[in-house]
Amino acid sequence: METFDDVLEKLAPDSLLRALEPEPLNALLRQSRKRDLKPGETIINQGDEKGAFAVYLLSGGLKISVVSAGGREIILNYCAPGELVGEIALLDSGPRTAAVTAVVDTTVLLLPTQAFLDTVATSTKSMIAVLRELARRVREQNLVIESDRTFSMGPRLARALVRLVDADRDDGRLLFNPSQSDLGAFAGLARENVSRLVSEWESQGVIAREGRALVIRDMEYLELLAEFGDEA
Amino acid sequence: METFDDVLEKLAPDSLLRALEPEPLNALLRQSRKRDLKPGETIINQGDEKGAFAVYLLSGGLKISVVSAGGREIILNYCAPGELVGEIALLDSGPRTAAVTAVVDTTVLLLPTQAFLDTVATSTKSMIAVLRELARRVREQNLVIESDRTFSMGPRLARALVRLVDADRDDGRLLFNPSQSDLGAFAGLARENVSRLVSEWESQGVIAREGRALVIRDMEYLELLAEFGDEA
DNA sequence: ATCCGGCTGTGATATCCATCACACTCGCGT
DNA sequence: ACGCGAGTGTGATGGATATCACAGCCGGAT
């Protein structure tokens, strides 16, 4: 395996792990394994025994999903490089409640449970960072629940798109080229209706297509819709 | 104000704050205020500036709710004594995203932001406790999202009831005597339909009534419904 | 080139549920 | 006792959306 300096270099500047002091971070990295994933490969399965490791996403993309009674997939979240996945299972005992799957070619770091917890505990700063991250997720999920309960299809899909725009680029391209089925599973509506909405928005110039991929043209409109619903 | 030993005594044995060492805990308590709330009194309003304090529930009950575009109330959660509320706003910057309201006569402790963070930082054990608590919430919310997306009214209400049974008592009484409107706001369905389901379940002997209050008779049935939906 | 599988468009239909409307009950204050 | 307000029961209706059915469509594998 390559040196850990390489890995270190790849850590995003705003990464959670960056909150660690160099010394403990190195110790942690020395105990972790790197793993490459092909699209569709899953790294954690729903129902697995409680987690033996946390997953740190170096490059590529992951989706966190559950299959519900009835066999429909629900995509709870997408993850971009620099994010940490699976700590919930570390902290909260019990089996994994969701599956983690690569959506593109992906490289992850597997951090052994105990080493991870020990390391985080060495520094107040890093603990606060993890706390903040969890808090951010709770808030994000509150919004999803609110959105699911009160909004119709349009605003829900709008929210999904806004969550998926690639913040690193100024064009309106989406992360991970999701299919319409994926968008449906993410936004909570049927694939057919994603299709209908996309057509409608395309004709209004809100979004455009490049091949199968979508490009957001009028981000502001979608954000308004996502926040205020159909009354906007 | 009474001595803090009194307060200390009231802390539930499994309370989050119990994870603190006696010394820092006392320091924290010395900086906190106690406050009594009548039913319906709100302590944090949606849209308030970022939190100046965390709320620790000594006795009584709180609900965390948002009012959505369209004016409908969504009850995100109920809190029982021993729980900590509002840390999300402490950690995650930005205005409060939800309101916190007493549902019965309630006593809370107001912990100033900085003092709370400092104190938690003094002990690894207490930090882990807070981490665990946040993780538990994320998991709980995942279930809500899954339930909202895939289940029909029956299972959703069943889940709400299961979440509300008073675990301290062996009878099937609910916490905080919620009205049918409350149950609707909690489970995500219209009040009228709560009424219809309650009638149906009563006639099947799944639940019973004592005045306006509900009593769960067949907990197992409701748990099955909550987990597997109508196919159960 | 061709075939095949996964993705996509689009209408018709069925279902679930929110909403509206109104009657009823029960406690409570006057 | 009365009336009032909050909570509740129940039918009728409409609307939103999942589902079904099927027809292109495009890209990759053979």
Side-chain angles (χ1 to χ4, degrees):
Chain A
M1 184 184 255
E2 56 198 301
T3 74
F4 284 102
D5 290 334
D6 287 359
V7 170
L8 200 53
E9 214 164 295
K10 279 189 204 144
L11 289 180
D14 61 340
S15 134
L16 258 193
L17 292 188
R18 273 294 162 101
L20 295 173
E21 306 297 324
E23 184 44 44
L25 175 56
N26 258 304
L28 175 58
L29 289 182
R30 222 167 297 129
Q31 294 178 69
S32 67
R33 283 190 305 124
K34 218 175 67 172
R35 183 163 161 204
D36 293 312
L37 301 168
K38 294 248 154 270
E41 230 179 311
T42 90
I43 187 170
I44 292 176
N45 286 296
Q46 195 169 1
D48 275 3
E49 279 318 298
K50 71 175 261 216
F53 47 79
V55 177
Y56 188 80
L57 179 52
L58 287 175
S59 70
L62 300 173
K63 73 176 175 189
I64 302 176
S65 61
V66 300
V67 308
S68 68
R72 212 185 6 269
E73 179 185 30
I74 297 174
I75 297 178
L76 293 169
N77 211 356
Y78 283 94
C79 296
E83 291 191 61
L84 192 58
V85 181
E87 349 68 285
I88 294 162
L90 297 189
L91 299 163
D92 191 18
S93 48
R96 303 279 192 176
T97 49
V100 177
T101 312
V103 289
V104 292
D105 282 306
T106 295
T107 313
V108 298
L109 227 45
L110 303 181
L111 313 173
T113 298
Q114 200 50 52
F116 172 71
L117 289 179
D118 291 349
T119 309
V120 170
T122 59
S123 132
T124 304
K125 240 179 37 187
S126 63
M127 274 212 147
I128 299 243
V130 176
L131 282 175
R132 262 189 225 293
E133 174 57 18
L134 286 178
R136 199 188 56 74
R137 286 190 208 172
V138 172
R139 181 189 290 258
E140 175 76 33
Q141 283 183 309
N142 281 346
L143 289 177
V144 172
I145 293 173
E146 180 179 349
S147 165
D148 275 11
R149 294 245 175 119
T150 64
F151 289 158
S152 56
M153 299 192 306
R156 290 211 307 275
L157 183 58
R159 176 182 290 279
L161 292 177
V162 170
R163 286 176 74 187
L164 275 176
V165 287
D166 190 335
D168 292 343
R169 306 155 62 123
D170 53 344
D171 57 3
R173 232 175 290 266
L174 299 184
L175 290 164
F176 317 133
N177 298 312
S179 71
Q180 293 187 355
S181 304
D182 293 332
L183 288 175
F186 191 42
L189 41 78
R191 186 226 100 215
E192 291 89 328
N193 292 322
V194 175
S195 175
R196 289 184 247 265
L197 282 169
V198 165
S199 300
E200 188 186 334
W201 285 342
E202 187 187 10
S203 75
Q204 297 171 204
V206 176
I207 61 183
R209 307 186 194 232
E210 296 188 357
R212 233 154 229 168
L214 300 180
V215 184
I216 311 284
R217 276 282 145 70
D218 189 348
M219 183 73 145
E220 207 168 318
Y221 175 79
L222 291 180
E223 279 170 343
L224 234 60
L225 212 57
E227 182 162 10
F228 300 109
D230 288 311
E231 350 289 337
Chain B
M1 182 184 253
E2 57 200 299
T3 75
F4 283 104
D5 290 335
D6 288 359
V7 170
L8 200 53
E9 213 165 293
K10 280 189 202 142
L11 289 179
D14 61 339
S15 135
L16 260 192
L17 292 187
R18 273 293 162 101
L20 295 174
E21 306 298 324
E23 184 45 45
L25 174 56
N26 259 303
L28 175 57
L29 289 183
R30 223 167 297 129
Q31 294 178 69
S32 67
R33 283 190 306 122
K34 218 174 68 172
R35 181 162 164 205
D36 294 312
L37 302 167
K38 294 248 153 271
E41 232 179 310
T42 91
I43 187 171
I44 292 175
N45 286 295
Q46 194 170 0
D48 274 4
E49 279 318 298
K50 73 175 261 215
F53 47 80
V55 177
Y56 189 79
L57 179 53
L58 287 174
S59 70
L62 299 172
K63 72 175 176 190
I64 301 175
S65 60
V66 300
V67 308
S68 68
R72 209 177 19 262
E73 180 186 29
I74 298 174
I75 297 178
L76 292 169
N77 210 357
Y78 282 94
C79 295
E83 291 191 62
L84 192 59
V85 181
E87 350 66 285
I88 293 161
L90 298 189
L91 298 164
D92 191 16
S93 48
R96 303 279 191 174
T97 49
V100 179
T101 312
V103 289
V104 292
D105 282 306
T106 295
T107 312
V108 297
L109 228 45
L110 302 182
L111 313 172
T113 298
Q114 201 48 53
F116 171 71
L117 288 179
D118 290 349
T119 310
V120 169
T122 59
S123 135
T124 304
K125 241 179 38 186
S126 63
M127 274 213 146
I128 300 243
V130 176
L131 282 176
R132 261 189 226 294
E133 174 57 20
L134 285 179
R136 198 189 57 74
R137 285 189 208 172
V138 173
R139 181 190 289 258
E140 176 75 34
Q141 281 184 312
N142 281 345
L143 290 177
V144 172
I145 293 172
E146 180 180 351
S147 166
D148 276 10
R149 293 249 175 114
T150 63
F151 289 157
S152 55
M153 298 193 306
R156 289 212 308 275
L157 184 58
R159 176 181 294 276
L161 292 177
V162 169
R163 285 175 74 188
L164 276 176
V165 287
D166 190 337
D168 292 342
R169 306 154 62 123
D170 52 345
D171 57 3
R173 231 175 293 264
L174 300 183
L175 290 164
F176 316 132
N177 298 312
S179 72
Q180 294 187 355
S181 304
D182 294 332
L183 288 175
F186 191 42
L189 43 79
R191 185 224 103 214
E192 292 91 327
N193 293 321
V194 175
S195 175
R196 290 183 246 267
L197 282 169
V198 166
S199 299
E200 188 186 333
W201 285 342
E202 188 187 10
S203 76
Q204 296 170 207
V206 175
I207 62 183
R209 306 185 195 232
E210 296 189 357
R212 234 153 225 169
L214 300 181
V215 184
I216 311 285
R217 277 283 145 70
D218 188 347
M219 183 74 145
E220 207 169 318
Y221 175 79
L222 290 180
E223 279 169 344
L224 233 62
L225 211 56
E227 183 162 9
F228 299 108
D230 289 310
E231 349 288 338

